[in-house]
Amino acid sequence: MTKMALFAEQQVRADLARLLLAAVEASGRTRCDIARDAQIHKDALRRVLAGERSASLGEALRILAASGVAPHAHLLLFLVSSGDHAIAWLQSDLAQFFEDFSGELPSALERVLGNQVHDVKPRWAKGTAHRVARLLSDHIDELERKDALLGDVFAGVEGGHRG
């Protein structure tokens, strides 16, 4: 059961303001430039970043995009985990991976599961998330082994490529 206190307007506004402020500050861009690119008045941006005004969904996405971060990934992280994850992953390859992964997941599930998509149980989510993370870790390890092997092969050839 979801605790409704987590959705108190002031708390959500403050948490979203923290995320947006961190994105703006990490961007290295001026607030005026971000406001212009996000198509939001500079005073409205100031109030959003201060937590005095709630950002609409579109405004939040535009502010994140103007800040140079993966907007959908950060809002999704903000919604499903915590503002802390969204802030910690700002401007990282992991955030871009998460954006691409979460965008591809629904169609991949439908394509791979077919009619079984309706048999999926919510209780499987946590274990599946851990399994996907382990699979990704194994994939990274395999790529590192292949890179090391290729490095050894090329290091053994005097002068590199011969042609």
Side-chain angles (χ1 to χ4, degrees):
M1 178 72 68
T2 303
K3 295 179 183 175
M4 295 308 283
L6 294 175
F7 303 131
E9 184 63 31
Q10 285 184 316
Q11 187 62 50
V12 172
R13 183 185 310 146
D15 290 345
L16 182 57
R18 268 188 340 110
L19 168 61
L20 297 175
L21 179 62
V24 167
E25 289 178 346
S27 74
R29 300 184 70 209
T30 66
R31 290 184 182 191
C32 287
D33 289 343
I34 288 175
R36 184 187 63 247
D37 290 350
Q39 300 170 352
I40 183 174
H41 192 274
K42 64 182 182 179
D43 290 331
L45 176 64
R46 180 191 54 76
R47 290 193 320 272
V48 165
L49 298 180
E52 298 168 0
R53 174 185 177 277
S54 294
S56 71
L57 180 59
E59 289 170 337
L61 287 168
R62 292 192 310 271
I63 292 167
L64 290 168
S67 298
V69 301
H72 295 98
H74 287 87
L75 269 186
L76 186 57
L77 280 168
F78 174 77
L79 292 171
V80 300
S81 63
S82 72
D84 295 335
H85 271 117
I87 292 170
W89 290 7
L90 280 172
Q91 297 181 329
S92 70
D93 287 343
L94 186 54
Q96 188 59 54
F97 168 86
F98 188 74
E99 176 138 333
D100 295 344
F101 178 81
S102 56
E104 181 64 27
L105 186 59
S107 59
L109 288 171
E110 287 179 338
R111 187 174 51 253
V112 172
L113 293 176
N115 290 337
Q116 291 177 314
V117 75
H118 302 290
D119 297 332
V120 173
K121 304 292 183 232
R123 68 177 184 268
W124 300 341
K126 189 174 184 177
T128 302
H130 287 271
R131 188 169 182 167
V132 167
R134 280 192 306 274
L135 180 65
L136 183 58
S137 176
D138 292 346
H139 182 67
I140 291 169
D141 290 344
E142 180 65 22
L143 290 174
E144 288 174 350
R145 280 192 294 276
K146 286 180 180 180
D147 284 348
L149 180 62
L150 285 175
D152 291 345
V153 167
F154 286 119
V157 176
E158 187 178 329
H161 182 304
R162 295 182 189 197

